[in-house]
Amino acid sequence: RRSMFGAHLDDFALTFNGKPAKLYSSRGQQKLIVLMLKMAQIQQLQAGQGSDTQLTFLLDDFMTDFDPLIAQKLIALCLGLKVQLIFTSPLNDSLEKKLLSKYNVHIVNIS
């Protein structure tokens, strides 16, 4: 049996350069679209809830498909969100760690 209503049935299609992103975008481009949607969602939540709302944004092994220039720009955008920001990476010497070391952030290594 199957429910015929609910959020699980909601679907939408994203286009990138006029073509379906699901079919014609690279993995990095798809991740970029998702990240930008999440950042817009955070900004919308902050605008609706007020500046005293504390949000946490977790990016779990998310930067691996971006080149250093794009990753640097995305990290700067994320840091500008004024949220608790958590990046994870399975690599000890990751691009995120190198880029984040330029900012006043706390880096935790778990071995």
Side-chain angles (χ1 to χ4, degrees):
R1 300 222 170 205
R2 177 184 156 124
S3 174
M4 299 308 287
F5 63 93
H8 62 286
L9 293 176
D10 291 346
D11 198 11
F12 57 93
L14 297 174
T15 59
F16 185 74
N17 292 331
K19 296 182 179 178
K22 185 176 183 178
L23 301 174
Y24 291 96
S25 298
S26 69
R27 181 178 161 99
Q29 290 168 330
Q30 290 174 358
K31 281 185 157 186
L32 183 60
I33 291 168
V34 169
L35 182 58
M36 292 304 199
L37 284 170
K38 291 293 185 181
M39 291 174 72
Q41 186 179 26
I42 287 171
Q43 290 175 329
Q44 184 127 30
L45 284 169
Q46 288 173 328
Q49 300 288 324
S51 61
D52 59 335
T53 301
Q54 298 296 317
L55 299 174
T56 300
F57 191 22
L58 171 64
L59 294 165
D60 185 21
D61 190 25
F62 203 81
M63 293 290 187
T64 53
D65 291 310
F66 300 123
D67 63 60
L69 180 62
I70 297 294
Q72 183 177 7
K73 289 179 180 182
L74 290 174
I75 286 173
L77 285 172
C78 288
L79 290 171
L81 289 173
K82 306 289 190 243
V83 298
Q84 180 183 18
L85 189 57
I86 301 171
F87 288 95
T88 67
S89 175
L91 307 172
N92 190 31
D93 192 29
S94 67
L95 175 61
E96 297 101 326
K97 187 175 180 180
K98 290 176 187 172
L99 294 173
L100 286 168
S101 66
K102 298 176 184 177
Y103 298 94
N104 184 24
V105 298
H106 185 70
I107 297 175
V108 177
N109 290 316
I110 300 174
S111 299

